[in-house]
Structures are given as C-alpha cells and as structure tokens.
Amino acid sequence: MDTGFVAALGDWRTRSGPLARALAAAVRDAVIDGRLPAGTRLPSERELARTLRLSRGTVVAALGLLRADGWLRTRHGSGSAVRLPARLTERTTPWSLDRGGAPDADLDLTLAVTAAPHRAYRAVLARAAELSAPLLLDSGVATAGLPRLRALIADRYTRAGLATRPEQILVTAGAQAALTLLLDHLHTDRRAPVMVENPAYPGALAVLRARRARLLPVPVSARDGWDTDQLTTAVRRHRPRLAYLVPDFHNPTGAHMSAAARRSLAALADRHQLTVLADETMRDLDLRTPPGGEPHLAGARVIQIGSASKTLWSGLRVGWIRGTEDLVRRLLRNPLQAQLAPPPLEQLVAAELLGAPLAALLADRRARLRAQRDHLAALLADTGWTYTVPAGGLTLWLHLGERGPHAGDLAVRAAARGLALTPGPRFSADGATLTRLLRLPFTATPDTLTRAVDLLRECAAA
C-alpha cells in the first residue's frame, strides 16, 4: 500500500464515535486539506483492512459513508477514487468581483495589498513630469521597456548574485501580464499539465484556467515549505512542461524556499526539460532582521517574474520578465506584448521609485508590516487555531482545526457582519479543497486588524 495514503489520514483512531465513521471523516478531511488530491485511488478493501488492522466490514462501511456523501467514486474494475462533492464546486463568480459576497463590508481582508507611499509617490510624479519631455518626442509604441528602467532592474538582479544584462529584461504591466505573455508563448502543448502549488495565488490560477491549462498541484505548507521528493515524483510521473511557483514568501502560506531546495528544483528542471516560472513578487518583503538574502531561484530553465505592485503600490502596474536575450526578442514579436506593456510615464515613475528612494521605502514598509504581522499573530494566539508566523510576505495562513468551522461558512457569516474574507478554496487548484483554511493579510492597521479578529472570533463562536 502507498504509505503516503496512510500518512495522509493522520491519527484518525483518536476520533470519537464508531471506527467506520472516524475513518470516513479522516479520508474526507485529508481531501479537504489537500493532503489527498482529488482523483487519488484508494487501496482495495482487503488491503486497506489489512494495513489499518480493521475488519473488512468496517472498511466497507466507511467507504459506503464516503460514497453516499459524494466523496468517493467507484467504477467496476477500476476501484475507488476520492473526489469532491458537486456542492463544493458550485460557486462560479470570481471572488474578487464581489469581495467574497460582502461588497459593502466595512472591513476588507480579501486583498493582500500595501498602501501607496504617498509622499514619495507624489515627489516622483513631479520628477517624472520634468523628465517626460523626451518621451513625448517618441512614437509611444510599446518596446521592451524604458532603457533606464531595464538597467535598474538588471542591476538589482546582478547585485543579488544573478548576473543580468538590460537586454534580458522585458517590462510588462504587472506580474499577471508577465504570466499571461509567457503562457501564450510557452504553453503550446495542452496535453501536458502545468505544475502549480497547492495552495496557490488565485490570480495566477485564473490566468491558467483562462487558457484551459490542466493543473498539476503539488503541496506547499507554511511550516514545511516544498517537499522536493514530491516535486520530483510529480515531474517524473506526469511530465509537465511548465511550472508556476512562488519561492519567496509564498502567497498565501508565507513559506520561503531554502537555498538547497532552489538548487534541487533547478537541477530537476534541467533533467526533465521543465520550464519554471518563478514569481518573485514578494521577494522584497523579507521581514527578518536582517533580511536573509537567499539566492534567486535560477537556472538555465528558470524564468523570473517581478513586480513593483507589492513592493511599492498595486496601482503602479509595472512588472517584468527576466529571461534570456533570445526569449525577450521572441516575446517582443508576440502580438500580445503591446497590449501587456505599461505606459511610458508609468515606467518613468517606477524607475524613479526603484532608484535612490527604494532603500528607505523598503525599510519603512518592512517595519510596518513586521509590526502588523506580530500584532495579528498575538490576536490569534489564544484562539486554538494554528498558524506559522511567516518570515515575510503579506499574509498569514490560518488553519481552523480539524473539527473547526469550514472557512466558506465562516466567510459567509462574517460577510453578514461586515467583514470580507477569502476562504481556503479560492487558493486550491481544484477550487474546492482547503476548506478549513483562511488567508488573513496583515496589511491593515493594528486597529483594523483588532476589529477584524474580534468579529472573526464572534462569527466562529456562533
């Protein structure tokens, strides 16, 4: 029997009630939390009974409970596989359009975004206006980006240990624009799945689903990060040609990939002709003191995606792709590139902010986020819910407990009380698991976070 299946069930015998019901609940919870991906085949009844030291009648009863409630699909001659009940996949409206069913909520914790640096932004707007005269003499046709901006971005990579020339940088209208352009260019074999993390950033999942990509989820946890053995097994077994990963302060878990795991992943990509799209949007939001300075996830088959949206302001729609010079030239020939390029004046503003003011802006942003993160963790300390305090990023990934409320139900109750939340299923590759998990951004002020957690606790108690 696959030992991973048994491990996914956890210490299920400690549950109260009949053994058959406890086993069924353990399988269901493993699917909900993403430990057993939908489609996982179960061992035979006889093998399951022998390994778990149960009577075959108990196993048959447990599987019957799962089948009756829609968690199990059985086909004659093919065995049984876990699945998601249809009722969990009914929501079709993008979460961002109605703020999780609470469009008029006073407290909004659905967006993990930072406030604009008002004083610095206004100052560079004036400076950009002074420098804009040469731009107005140009045609305004989209290029790979303003030379000064590409040079600044390339220099940041080089100073971080990843030698980069400006010709290797293509400026885009944000990270999602970069991902869209790369997928249009690289995702040509629809039969091959695209490897993603589970949980994953919903914006990236939306872009992938729009291209009807088959998703291959691999687990990442706030505490343990990425399991390189599982990554290797997934690549060997399913042969994806593309992977989208967030190695730096992963959204939503906050996990940070170790240097050893980065080297292992880059070598794996080389061996199996796997192109890795490394989203580094959160990289600058390192809240350790001092910042750790891990190397970029890099290699011959790794393409980096960057953005100013989290570092500076989400309203500044400037991102970039770092790849080979040949890749940049080919992307420039893609008809989508002009539509996914930011206006020249926005690039000029980004160049001003990413220059001399950046060090002070980052120091202030990190200090504020560190204080807000610690405040949120303190508010949750006696709830009984579990979490890992992230070393960086913008969010805390909260587990409501195996017997706790489902995050979707809790979000509905909170919406009725004026608090907008994003439950775990929004971050799952299948759109329905992770139902006992909740993402809580710590980008709001301490007072707002206090009000939000007080309301959350009241809703959970109800």
Side-chain angles (χ1 to χ4, degrees), residues 157 170 172 174-183 243-245 247-248 276-283 296-297 302-308 319-323:
Y157 279 108
L170 176 65
T172 62
Q176 280 187 255
L179 177 59
T180 299
L181 185 59
L182 285 167
L183 287 175
Y244 169 82
L245 303 174
D248 298 287
V276 178
L277 308 181
D279 188 335
E280 300 180 330
T281 302
M282 300 286 182
R283 184 173 173 86
H296 287 272
L297 173 54
V302 180
I303 300 168
Q304 292 80 19
I305 295 174
S307 173
W320 54 85
I321 294 167
R322 181 206 173 271

PDB file of all heavy atoms in Angstrom, residues 157 170 172 174-183 243-245 247-248 276-283 296-297 302-308 319-323:
ATOM      1  N   TYR A 157      19.211  42.546  -9.992  1.00  0.00           N
ATOM      2  CA  TYR A 157      19.493  41.109 -10.084  1.00  0.00           C
ATOM      3  C   TYR A 157      20.985  40.843  -9.939  1.00  0.00           C
ATOM      4  O   TYR A 157      21.409  39.935  -9.220  1.00  0.00           O
ATOM      5  CB  TYR A 157      18.997  40.548 -11.416  1.00  0.00           C
ATOM      6  CG  TYR A 157      17.518  40.243 -11.456  1.00  0.00           C
ATOM      7  CD1 TYR A 157      16.650  41.047 -12.194  1.00  0.00           C
ATOM      8  CD2 TYR A 157      16.987  39.158 -10.767  1.00  0.00           C
ATOM      9  CE1 TYR A 157      15.290  40.779 -12.246  1.00  0.00           C
ATOM     10  CE2 TYR A 157      15.631  38.877 -10.805  1.00  0.00           C
ATOM     11  CZ  TYR A 157      14.790  39.692 -11.551  1.00  0.00           C
ATOM     12  OH  TYR A 157      13.442  39.417 -11.586  1.00  0.00           O
ATOM     13  N   LEU A 170      12.260  42.321 -19.882  1.00  0.00           N
ATOM     14  CA  LEU A 170      11.104  42.806 -20.637  1.00  0.00           C
ATOM     15  C   LEU A 170      10.102  43.363 -19.636  1.00  0.00           C
ATOM     16  O   LEU A 170       9.632  42.643 -18.750  1.00  0.00           O
ATOM     17  CB  LEU A 170      10.464  41.678 -21.442  1.00  0.00           C
ATOM     18  CG  LEU A 170       9.175  42.031 -22.198  1.00  0.00           C
ATOM     19  CD1 LEU A 170       9.465  43.063 -23.288  1.00  0.00           C
ATOM     20  CD2 LEU A 170       8.533  40.792 -22.796  1.00  0.00           C
ATOM     21  N   THR A 172       6.574  44.695 -18.250  1.00  0.00           N
ATOM     22  CA  THR A 172       5.171  44.375 -18.512  1.00  0.00           C
ATOM     23  C   THR A 172       4.275  45.184 -17.574  1.00  0.00           C
ATOM     24  O   THR A 172       4.742  45.827 -16.638  1.00  0.00           O
ATOM     25  CB  THR A 172       4.894  42.874 -18.275  1.00  0.00           C
ATOM     26  OG1 THR A 172       5.153  42.567 -16.897  1.00  0.00           O
ATOM     27  CG2 THR A 172       5.768  42.007 -19.169  1.00  0.00           C
ATOM     28  N   GLY A 174       2.629  44.597 -14.977  1.00  0.00           N
ATOM     29  CA  GLY A 174       2.398  43.827 -13.776  1.00  0.00           C
ATOM     30  C   GLY A 174       2.783  42.364 -13.948  1.00  0.00           C
ATOM     31  O   GLY A 174       3.084  41.891 -15.054  1.00  0.00           O
ATOM     32  N   ALA A 175       2.768  41.630 -12.824  1.00  0.00           N
ATOM     33  CA  ALA A 175       3.169  40.221 -12.833  1.00  0.00           C
ATOM     34  C   ALA A 175       2.175  39.349 -13.591  1.00  0.00           C
ATOM     35  O   ALA A 175       2.567  38.404 -14.282  1.00  0.00           O
ATOM     36  CB  ALA A 175       3.327  39.723 -11.393  1.00  0.00           C
ATOM     37  N   GLN A 176       0.870  39.641 -13.464  1.00  0.00           N
ATOM     38  CA  GLN A 176      -0.108  38.822 -14.182  1.00  0.00           C
ATOM     39  C   GLN A 176       0.008  39.024 -15.692  1.00  0.00           C
ATOM     40  O   GLN A 176      -0.193  38.080 -16.461  1.00  0.00           O
ATOM     41  CB  GLN A 176      -1.526  39.127 -13.706  1.00  0.00           C
ATOM     42  CG  GLN A 176      -1.859  38.429 -12.396  1.00  0.00           C
ATOM     43  CD  GLN A 176      -3.313  38.580 -12.011  1.00  0.00           C
ATOM     44  OE1 GLN A 176      -3.646  39.343 -11.108  1.00  0.00           O
ATOM     45  NE2 GLN A 176      -4.190  37.850 -12.662  1.00  0.00           N
ATOM     46  N   ALA A 177       0.346  40.228 -16.106  1.00  0.00           N
ATOM     47  CA  ALA A 177       0.593  40.461 -17.533  1.00  0.00           C
ATOM     48  C   ALA A 177       1.806  39.665 -17.995  1.00  0.00           C
ATOM     49  O   ALA A 177       1.809  39.084 -19.091  1.00  0.00           O
ATOM     50  CB  ALA A 177       0.814  41.952 -17.787  1.00  0.00           C
ATOM     51  N   ALA A 178       2.837  39.610 -17.143  1.00  0.00           N
ATOM     52  CA  ALA A 178       4.026  38.825 -17.477  1.00  0.00           C
ATOM     53  C   ALA A 178       3.668  37.344 -17.614  1.00  0.00           C
ATOM     54  O   ALA A 178       4.093  36.674 -18.571  1.00  0.00           O
ATOM     55  CB  ALA A 178       5.094  39.017 -16.397  1.00  0.00           C
ATOM     56  N   LEU A 179       2.874  36.829 -16.662  1.00  0.00           N
ATOM     57  CA  LEU A 179       2.475  35.423 -16.716  1.00  0.00           C
ATOM     58  C   LEU A 179       1.628  35.144 -17.952  1.00  0.00           C
ATOM     59  O   LEU A 179       1.813  34.119 -18.636  1.00  0.00           O
ATOM     60  CB  LEU A 179       1.701  35.058 -15.448  1.00  0.00           C
ATOM     61  CG  LEU A 179       1.153  33.631 -15.371  1.00  0.00           C
ATOM     62  CD1 LEU A 179       2.275  32.610 -15.468  1.00  0.00           C
ATOM     63  CD2 LEU A 179       0.348  33.439 -14.081  1.00  0.00           C
ATOM     64  N   THR A 180       0.719  36.040 -18.268  1.00  0.00           N
ATOM     65  CA  THR A 180      -0.137  35.875 -19.445  1.00  0.00           C
ATOM     66  C   THR A 180       0.692  35.792 -20.724  1.00  0.00           C
ATOM     67  O   THR A 180       0.472  34.928 -21.580  1.00  0.00           O
ATOM     68  CB  THR A 180      -1.139  37.044 -19.540  1.00  0.00           C
ATOM     69  OG1 THR A 180      -1.961  37.062 -18.375  1.00  0.00           O
ATOM     70  CG2 THR A 180      -2.016  36.918 -20.777  1.00  0.00           C
ATOM     71  N   LEU A 181       1.657  36.692 -20.851  1.00  0.00           N
ATOM     72  CA  LEU A 181       2.505  36.715 -22.044  1.00  0.00           C
ATOM     73  C   LEU A 181       3.355  35.444 -22.133  1.00  0.00           C
ATOM     74  O   LEU A 181       3.486  34.847 -23.213  1.00  0.00           O
ATOM     75  CB  LEU A 181       3.394  37.955 -22.017  1.00  0.00           C
ATOM     76  CG  LEU A 181       4.277  38.220 -23.241  1.00  0.00           C
ATOM     77  CD1 LEU A 181       3.440  38.358 -24.499  1.00  0.00           C
ATOM     78  CD2 LEU A 181       5.126  39.470 -23.013  1.00  0.00           C
ATOM     79  N   LEU A 182       3.911  35.021 -21.014  1.00  0.00           N
ATOM     80  CA  LEU A 182       4.750  33.819 -21.015  1.00  0.00           C
ATOM     81  C   LEU A 182       3.934  32.570 -21.344  1.00  0.00           C
ATOM     82  O   LEU A 182       4.393  31.697 -22.096  1.00  0.00           O
ATOM     83  CB  LEU A 182       5.434  33.659 -19.659  1.00  0.00           C
ATOM     84  CG  LEU A 182       6.594  34.622 -19.403  1.00  0.00           C
ATOM     85  CD1 LEU A 182       6.997  34.595 -17.942  1.00  0.00           C
ATOM     86  CD2 LEU A 182       7.797  34.270 -20.289  1.00  0.00           C
ATOM     87  N   LEU A 183       2.731  32.468 -20.791  1.00  0.00           N
ATOM     88  CA  LEU A 183       1.895  31.303 -21.090  1.00  0.00           C
ATOM     89  C   LEU A 183       1.500  31.276 -22.562  1.00  0.00           C
ATOM     90  O   LEU A 183       1.464  30.214 -23.188  1.00  0.00           O
ATOM     91  CB  LEU A 183       0.642  31.312 -20.204  1.00  0.00           C
ATOM     92  CG  LEU A 183       0.851  30.968 -18.730  1.00  0.00           C
ATOM     93  CD1 LEU A 183      -0.454  31.132 -17.969  1.00  0.00           C
ATOM     94  CD2 LEU A 183       1.378  29.549 -18.568  1.00  0.00           C
ATOM     95  N   ALA A 243       6.011  24.960 -15.038  1.00  0.00           N
ATOM     96  CA  ALA A 243       5.665  25.057 -13.620  1.00  0.00           C
ATOM     97  C   ALA A 243       5.581  26.525 -13.246  1.00  0.00           C
ATOM     98  O   ALA A 243       6.398  27.338 -13.701  1.00  0.00           O
ATOM     99  CB  ALA A 243       6.704  24.350 -12.759  1.00  0.00           C
ATOM    100  N   TYR A 244       4.582  26.865 -12.435  1.00  0.00           N
ATOM    101  CA  TYR A 244       4.466  28.226 -11.893  1.00  0.00           C
ATOM    102  C   TYR A 244       4.608  28.123 -10.380  1.00  0.00           C
ATOM    103  O   TYR A 244       3.794  27.455  -9.720  1.00  0.00           O
ATOM    104  CB  TYR A 244       3.120  28.860 -12.275  1.00  0.00           C
ATOM    105  CG  TYR A 244       2.852  30.146 -11.510  1.00  0.00           C
ATOM    106  CD1 TYR A 244       3.410  31.348 -11.927  1.00  0.00           C
ATOM    107  CD2 TYR A 244       2.068  30.146 -10.355  1.00  0.00           C
ATOM    108  CE1 TYR A 244       3.192  32.519 -11.222  1.00  0.00           C
ATOM    109  CE2 TYR A 244       1.836  31.307  -9.645  1.00  0.00           C
ATOM    110  CZ  TYR A 244       2.404  32.498 -10.075  1.00  0.00           C
ATOM    111  OH  TYR A 244       2.193  33.644  -9.364  1.00  0.00           O
ATOM    112  N   LEU A 245       5.639  28.767  -9.822  1.00  0.00           N
ATOM    113  CA  LEU A 245       5.923  28.662  -8.392  1.00  0.00           C
ATOM    114  C   LEU A 245       6.218  30.044  -7.816  1.00  0.00           C
ATOM    115  O   LEU A 245       6.679  30.944  -8.517  1.00  0.00           O
ATOM    116  CB  LEU A 245       7.131  27.751  -8.153  1.00  0.00           C
ATOM    117  CG  LEU A 245       7.050  26.315  -8.712  1.00  0.00           C
ATOM    118  CD1 LEU A 245       8.373  25.607  -8.520  1.00  0.00           C
ATOM    119  CD2 LEU A 245       5.920  25.534  -8.072  1.00  0.00           C
ATOM    120  N   PRO A 247       8.534  31.109  -4.946  1.00  0.00           N
ATOM    121  CA  PRO A 247       9.514  30.623  -3.966  1.00  0.00           C
ATOM    122  C   PRO A 247       9.795  31.576  -2.815  1.00  0.00           C
ATOM    123  O   PRO A 247      10.315  31.159  -1.780  1.00  0.00           O
ATOM    124  CB  PRO A 247      10.768  30.416  -4.815  1.00  0.00           C
ATOM    125  CG  PRO A 247      10.627  31.407  -5.934  1.00  0.00           C
ATOM    126  CD  PRO A 247       9.158  31.480  -6.222  1.00  0.00           C
ATOM    127  N   ASP A 248       9.474  32.850  -2.981  1.00  0.00           N
ATOM    128  CA  ASP A 248       9.816  33.852  -1.966  1.00  0.00           C
ATOM    129  C   ASP A 248       8.567  34.338  -1.239  1.00  0.00           C
ATOM    130  O   ASP A 248       7.757  35.077  -1.802  1.00  0.00           O
ATOM    131  CB  ASP A 248      10.530  35.042  -2.619  1.00  0.00           C
ATOM    132  CG  ASP A 248      11.844  34.630  -3.275  1.00  0.00           C
ATOM    133  OD1 ASP A 248      12.801  34.349  -2.537  1.00  0.00           O
ATOM    134  OD2 ASP A 248      11.888  34.567  -4.515  1.00  0.00           O
ATOM    135  N   VAL A 276      10.476  26.586 -15.545  1.00  0.00           N
ATOM    136  CA  VAL A 276       9.922  27.065 -14.275  1.00  0.00           C
ATOM    137  C   VAL A 276       9.728  28.574 -14.340  1.00  0.00           C
ATOM    138  O   VAL A 276      10.672  29.320 -14.628  1.00  0.00           O
ATOM    139  CB  VAL A 276      10.850  26.716 -13.097  1.00  0.00           C
ATOM    140  CG1 VAL A 276      10.293  27.273 -11.787  1.00  0.00           C
ATOM    141  CG2 VAL A 276      11.023  25.199 -12.991  1.00  0.00           C
ATOM    142  N   LEU A 277       8.511  29.026 -14.093  1.00  0.00           N
ATOM    143  CA  LEU A 277       8.212  30.453 -13.977  1.00  0.00           C
ATOM    144  C   LEU A 277       8.207  30.790 -12.489  1.00  0.00           C
ATOM    145  O   LEU A 277       7.317  30.367 -11.752  1.00  0.00           O
ATOM    146  CB  LEU A 277       6.850  30.763 -14.608  1.00  0.00           C
ATOM    147  CG  LEU A 277       6.642  30.261 -16.045  1.00  0.00           C
ATOM    148  CD1 LEU A 277       5.264  30.664 -16.554  1.00  0.00           C
ATOM    149  CD2 LEU A 277       7.739  30.778 -16.970  1.00  0.00           C
ATOM    150  N   ALA A 278       9.225  31.508 -12.043  1.00  0.00           N
ATOM    151  CA  ALA A 278       9.391  31.834 -10.628  1.00  0.00           C
ATOM    152  C   ALA A 278       8.854  33.234 -10.369  1.00  0.00           C
ATOM    153  O   ALA A 278       9.456  34.230 -10.781  1.00  0.00           O
ATOM    154  CB  ALA A 278      10.863  31.743 -10.235  1.00  0.00           C
ATOM    155  N   ASP A 279       7.713  33.315  -9.691  1.00  0.00           N
ATOM    156  CA  ASP A 279       7.091  34.608  -9.372  1.00  0.00           C
ATOM    157  C   ASP A 279       7.747  35.169  -8.115  1.00  0.00           C
ATOM    158  O   ASP A 279       7.588  34.638  -7.019  1.00  0.00           O
ATOM    159  CB  ASP A 279       5.585  34.399  -9.156  1.00  0.00           C
ATOM    160  CG  ASP A 279       4.841  35.714  -9.023  1.00  0.00           C
ATOM    161  OD1 ASP A 279       5.464  36.726  -8.628  1.00  0.00           O
ATOM    162  OD2 ASP A 279       3.622  35.743  -9.293  1.00  0.00           O
ATOM    163  N   GLU A 280       8.482  36.269  -8.285  1.00  0.00           N
ATOM    164  CA  GLU A 280       9.228  36.878  -7.178  1.00  0.00           C
ATOM    165  C   GLU A 280       8.569  38.156  -6.671  1.00  0.00           C
ATOM    166  O   GLU A 280       9.235  39.019  -6.089  1.00  0.00           O
ATOM    167  CB  GLU A 280      10.658  37.172  -7.635  1.00  0.00           C
ATOM    168  CG  GLU A 280      11.423  35.925  -8.066  1.00  0.00           C
ATOM    169  CD  GLU A 280      12.840  36.228  -8.511  1.00  0.00           C
ATOM    170  OE1 GLU A 280      13.085  37.340  -9.040  1.00  0.00           O
ATOM    171  OE2 GLU A 280      13.703  35.364  -8.320  1.00  0.00           O
ATOM    172  N   THR A 281       7.259  38.248  -6.845  1.00  0.00           N
ATOM    173  CA  THR A 281       6.541  39.458  -6.463  1.00  0.00           C
ATOM    174  C   THR A 281       6.761  39.839  -5.001  1.00  0.00           C
ATOM    175  O   THR A 281       6.796  41.023  -4.655  1.00  0.00           O
ATOM    176  CB  THR A 281       5.030  39.261  -6.728  1.00  0.00           C
ATOM    177  OG1 THR A 281       4.845  38.954  -8.107  1.00  0.00           O
ATOM    178  CG2 THR A 281       4.240  40.509  -6.404  1.00  0.00           C
ATOM    179  N   MET A 282       6.895  38.840  -4.126  1.00  0.00           N
ATOM    180  CA  MET A 282       7.015  39.099  -2.681  1.00  0.00           C
ATOM    181  C   MET A 282       8.462  39.172  -2.203  1.00  0.00           C
ATOM    182  O   MET A 282       8.696  39.359  -1.005  1.00  0.00           O
ATOM    183  CB  MET A 282       6.295  37.985  -1.902  1.00  0.00           C
ATOM    184  CG  MET A 282       4.827  37.851  -2.193  1.00  0.00           C
ATOM    185  SD  MET A 282       3.883  39.183  -1.424  1.00  0.00           S
ATOM    186  CE  MET A 282       2.220  38.693  -1.915  1.00  0.00           C
ATOM    187  N   ARG A 283       9.406  39.012  -3.084  1.00  0.00           N
ATOM    188  CA  ARG A 283      10.799  38.829  -2.655  1.00  0.00           C
ATOM    189  C   ARG A 283      11.318  39.970  -1.774  1.00  0.00           C
ATOM    190  O   ARG A 283      12.079  39.747  -0.823  1.00  0.00           O
ATOM    191  CB  ARG A 283      11.701  38.648  -3.880  1.00  0.00           C
ATOM    192  CG  ARG A 283      13.150  38.365  -3.517  1.00  0.00           C
ATOM    193  CD  ARG A 283      13.990  38.027  -4.742  1.00  0.00           C
ATOM    194  NE  ARG A 283      15.393  37.933  -4.394  1.00  0.00           N
ATOM    195  CZ  ARG A 283      15.986  36.834  -3.931  1.00  0.00           C
ATOM    196  NH1 ARG A 283      15.268  35.748  -3.738  1.00  0.00           N
ATOM    197  NH2 ARG A 283      17.275  36.829  -3.646  1.00  0.00           N
ATOM    198  N   HIS A 296      18.323  33.930  -5.749  1.00  0.00           N
ATOM    199  CA  HIS A 296      17.156  33.770  -6.605  1.00  0.00           C
ATOM    200  C   HIS A 296      17.017  32.310  -7.004  1.00  0.00           C
ATOM    201  O   HIS A 296      18.015  31.579  -7.105  1.00  0.00           O
ATOM    202  CB  HIS A 296      17.303  34.611  -7.873  1.00  0.00           C
ATOM    203  CG  HIS A 296      17.148  36.081  -7.660  1.00  0.00           C
ATOM    204  ND1 HIS A 296      15.934  36.717  -7.714  1.00  0.00           N
ATOM    205  CD2 HIS A 296      18.071  37.042  -7.401  1.00  0.00           C
ATOM    206  CE1 HIS A 296      16.110  38.011  -7.502  1.00  0.00           C
ATOM    207  NE2 HIS A 296      17.393  38.236  -7.303  1.00  0.00           N
ATOM    208  N   LEU A 297      15.775  31.856  -7.214  1.00  0.00           N
ATOM    209  CA  LEU A 297      15.567  30.574  -7.874  1.00  0.00           C
ATOM    210  C   LEU A 297      16.005  30.780  -9.314  1.00  0.00           C
ATOM    211  O   LEU A 297      15.380  31.546 -10.063  1.00  0.00           O
ATOM    212  CB  LEU A 297      14.096  30.160  -7.793  1.00  0.00           C
ATOM    213  CG  LEU A 297      13.688  28.907  -8.584  1.00  0.00           C
ATOM    214  CD1 LEU A 297      14.559  27.713  -8.230  1.00  0.00           C
ATOM    215  CD2 LEU A 297      12.220  28.586  -8.350  1.00  0.00           C
ATOM    216  N   VAL A 302      14.901  28.425 -15.813  1.00  0.00           N
ATOM    217  CA  VAL A 302      14.092  29.230 -14.882  1.00  0.00           C
ATOM    218  C   VAL A 302      13.936  30.636 -15.434  1.00  0.00           C
ATOM    219  O   VAL A 302      14.917  31.269 -15.833  1.00  0.00           O
ATOM    220  CB  VAL A 302      14.724  29.277 -13.482  1.00  0.00           C
ATOM    221  CG1 VAL A 302      13.864  30.125 -12.542  1.00  0.00           C
ATOM    222  CG2 VAL A 302      14.899  27.876 -12.913  1.00  0.00           C
ATOM    223  N   ILE A 303      12.700  31.114 -15.462  1.00  0.00           N
ATOM    224  CA  ILE A 303      12.380  32.482 -15.881  1.00  0.00           C
ATOM    225  C   ILE A 303      11.794  33.204 -14.674  1.00  0.00           C
ATOM    226  O   ILE A 303      10.860  32.709 -14.038  1.00  0.00           O
ATOM    227  CB  ILE A 303      11.363  32.487 -17.041  1.00  0.00           C
ATOM    228  CG1 ILE A 303      11.927  31.731 -18.247  1.00  0.00           C
ATOM    229  CG2 ILE A 303      10.976  33.915 -17.427  1.00  0.00           C
ATOM    230  CD1 ILE A 303      10.884  31.450 -19.325  1.00  0.00           C
ATOM    231  N   GLN A 304      12.359  34.369 -14.334  1.00  0.00           N
ATOM    232  CA  GLN A 304      11.873  35.123 -13.184  1.00  0.00           C
ATOM    233  C   GLN A 304      10.809  36.145 -13.595  1.00  0.00           C
ATOM    234  O   GLN A 304      10.917  36.770 -14.651  1.00  0.00           O
ATOM    235  CB  GLN A 304      13.031  35.857 -12.488  1.00  0.00           C
ATOM    236  CG  GLN A 304      14.038  34.964 -11.794  1.00  0.00           C
ATOM    237  CD  GLN A 304      15.044  34.346 -12.746  1.00  0.00           C
ATOM    238  OE1 GLN A 304      15.231  34.824 -13.877  1.00  0.00           O
ATOM    239  NE2 GLN A 304      15.706  33.286 -12.317  1.00  0.00           N
ATOM    240  N   ILE A 305       9.794  36.273 -12.741  1.00  0.00           N
ATOM    241  CA  ILE A 305       8.755  37.295 -12.906  1.00  0.00           C
ATOM    242  C   ILE A 305       8.843  38.221 -11.700  1.00  0.00           C
ATOM    243  O   ILE A 305       8.850  37.768 -10.559  1.00  0.00           O
ATOM    244  CB  ILE A 305       7.357  36.658 -12.977  1.00  0.00           C
ATOM    245  CG1 ILE A 305       7.207  35.790 -14.222  1.00  0.00           C
ATOM    246  CG2 ILE A 305       6.273  37.743 -12.952  1.00  0.00           C
ATOM    247  CD1 ILE A 305       5.902  35.013 -14.275  1.00  0.00           C
ATOM    248  N   GLY A 306       8.902  39.524 -11.955  1.00  0.00           N
ATOM    249  CA  GLY A 306       8.967  40.501 -10.872  1.00  0.00           C
ATOM    250  C   GLY A 306       7.880  41.538 -11.006  1.00  0.00           C
ATOM    251  O   GLY A 306       7.221  41.649 -12.040  1.00  0.00           O
ATOM    252  N   SER A 307       7.691  42.328  -9.948  1.00  0.00           N
ATOM    253  CA  SER A 307       6.642  43.350  -9.963  1.00  0.00           C
ATOM    254  C   SER A 307       6.916  44.397  -8.902  1.00  0.00           C
ATOM    255  O   SER A 307       7.519  44.110  -7.863  1.00  0.00           O
ATOM    256  CB  SER A 307       5.279  42.698  -9.709  1.00  0.00           C
ATOM    257  OG  SER A 307       4.274  43.678  -9.567  1.00  0.00           O
ATOM    258  N   ALA A 308       6.443  45.601  -9.183  1.00  0.00           N
ATOM    259  CA  ALA A 308       6.517  46.689  -8.199  1.00  0.00           C
ATOM    260  C   ALA A 308       5.232  46.808  -7.383  1.00  0.00           C
ATOM    261  O   ALA A 308       5.150  47.640  -6.488  1.00  0.00           O
ATOM    262  CB  ALA A 308       6.793  48.016  -8.915  1.00  0.00           C
ATOM    263  N   GLY A 319       5.554  45.522 -14.040  1.00  0.00           N
ATOM    264  CA  GLY A 319       6.223  44.272 -13.702  1.00  0.00           C
ATOM    265  C   GLY A 319       7.280  43.985 -14.747  1.00  0.00           C
ATOM    266  O   GLY A 319       7.555  44.815 -15.616  1.00  0.00           O
ATOM    267  N   TRP A 320       7.873  42.779 -14.685  1.00  0.00           N
ATOM    268  CA  TRP A 320       8.911  42.463 -15.660  1.00  0.00           C
ATOM    269  C   TRP A 320       9.153  40.963 -15.728  1.00  0.00           C
ATOM    270  O   TRP A 320       8.770  40.194 -14.843  1.00  0.00           O
ATOM    271  CB  TRP A 320      10.219  43.171 -15.334  1.00  0.00           C
ATOM    272  CG  TRP A 320      10.727  42.938 -13.950  1.00  0.00           C
ATOM    273  CD1 TRP A 320      11.498  41.893 -13.511  1.00  0.00           C
ATOM    274  CD2 TRP A 320      10.469  43.762 -12.806  1.00  0.00           C
ATOM    275  NE1 TRP A 320      11.749  42.018 -12.180  1.00  0.00           N
ATOM    276  CE2 TRP A 320      11.126  43.155 -11.717  1.00  0.00           C
ATOM    277  CE3 TRP A 320       9.763  44.947 -12.605  1.00  0.00           C
ATOM    278  CZ2 TRP A 320      11.103  43.710 -10.434  1.00  0.00           C
ATOM    279  CZ3 TRP A 320       9.722  45.491 -11.332  1.00  0.00           C
ATOM    280  CH2 TRP A 320      10.385  44.873 -10.261  1.00  0.00           C
ATOM    281  N   ILE A 321       9.780  40.586 -16.822  1.00  0.00           N
ATOM    282  CA  ILE A 321      10.232  39.215 -17.050  1.00  0.00           C
ATOM    283  C   ILE A 321      11.750  39.263 -17.160  1.00  0.00           C
ATOM    284  O   ILE A 321      12.301  40.125 -17.864  1.00  0.00           O
ATOM    285  CB  ILE A 321       9.639  38.650 -18.356  1.00  0.00           C
ATOM    286  CG1 ILE A 321       8.117  38.502 -18.229  1.00  0.00           C
ATOM    287  CG2 ILE A 321      10.287  37.319 -18.718  1.00  0.00           C
ATOM    288  CD1 ILE A 321       7.421  38.262 -19.559  1.00  0.00           C
ATOM    289  N   ARG A 322      12.435  38.351 -16.455  1.00  0.00           N
ATOM    290  CA  ARG A 322      13.873  38.196 -16.636  1.00  0.00           C
ATOM    291  C   ARG A 322      14.106  36.824 -17.267  1.00  0.00           C
ATOM    292  O   ARG A 322      13.757  35.787 -16.705  1.00  0.00           O
ATOM    293  CB  ARG A 322      14.639  38.271 -15.323  1.00  0.00           C
ATOM    294  CG  ARG A 322      16.158  38.138 -15.529  1.00  0.00           C
ATOM    295  CD  ARG A 322      16.875  37.604 -14.327  1.00  0.00           C
ATOM    296  NE  ARG A 322      18.283  37.351 -14.629  1.00  0.00           N
ATOM    297  CZ  ARG A 322      18.768  36.210 -15.116  1.00  0.00           C
ATOM    298  NH1 ARG A 322      17.959  35.193 -15.375  1.00  0.00           N
ATOM    299  NH2 ARG A 322      20.062  36.069 -15.364  1.00  0.00           N
ATOM    300  N   GLY A 323      14.670  36.831 -18.455  1.00  0.00           N
ATOM    301  CA  GLY A 323      14.950  35.580 -19.157  1.00  0.00           C
ATOM    302  C   GLY A 323      16.184  35.738 -20.012  1.00  0.00           C
ATOM    303  O   GLY A 323      17.003  36.645 -19.791  1.00  0.00           O
TER     304      GLY A 323
END
